[in-house]
Amino acid sequence: TLFRSWPTPECEMVAYRSFNPFFPLLGCFNTPGVQLWAVWALQHVCSKNSARYCNMLIEEEGLQYLYRIRENSQTDPDVHRIVLSILDSLEKHIVRHGKHFSKKRQIVRAHV
């Protein structure tokens, strides 16, 4: 796929205040290019500034969207691969920082 040839930026290219605008894009199973762009952007910022963006993704309850993509049998393979990478990064972030979330958030820890 073409996106695999994109060079990985060395620095954070953008600053997001919220991931909420991404969440509808993550549900676009009929247009995998839209999902691919959205998960690529999430992966990029989470890999460049995990302290900020992994926390934001968890706090805004974005994991539910990633789980839906991971569990959907029709998910594009490239989208699936990136989602697995994001979830792996989130798990490492949680373990590394020992985050303690509210009871609602502890559900997140069980799924990661």
Side-chain angles (χ1 to χ4, degrees):
T1 312
L2 182 62
F3 88 94
R4 288 186 184 176
S5 65
W6 298 346
T8 302
E10 293 182 24
C11 61
E12 199 176 324
M13 296 176 7
V14 294
Y16 296 113
R17 293 183 185 176
S18 172
F19 286 134
N20 285 316
F22 285 84
F23 298 152
L25 303 178
L26 296 175
C28 292
F29 288 94
N30 292 331
T31 50
V34 171
Q35 279 186 319
L36 182 60
W37 178 83
V39 297
W40 183 88
L42 291 175
Q43 181 187 41
H44 171 70
V45 295
C46 286
S47 70
K48 300 303 177 194
N49 188 345
S50 66
R52 176 178 182 175
Y53 293 113
C54 287
N55 285 337
M56 183 187 300
L57 194 55
I58 293 165
E59 290 168 6
E60 293 184 350
E61 301 181 6
L63 293 180
Q64 65 182 327
Y65 299 97
L66 299 177
Y67 295 140
R68 280 188 207 136
I69 292 171
R70 181 185 70 186
E71 301 305 322
N72 189 310
S73 63
Q74 300 302 311
T75 297
D76 177 84
D78 290 325
V79 172
H80 191 261
R81 184 182 56 77
I82 293 173
V83 165
L84 292 178
S85 176
I86 295 168
L87 291 171
D88 182 60
S89 295
L90 287 167
E91 180 179 354
K92 290 175 182 172
H93 174 79
I94 291 168
V95 168
R96 190 171 44 246
H97 294 284
K99 290 291 183 186
H100 298 287
F101 302 104
S102 67
K103 287 191 183 262
K104 185 176 182 181
R105 302 281 192 256
Q106 286 176 358
I107 294 168
V108 169
R109 295 185 77 161
H111 287 288
V112 176

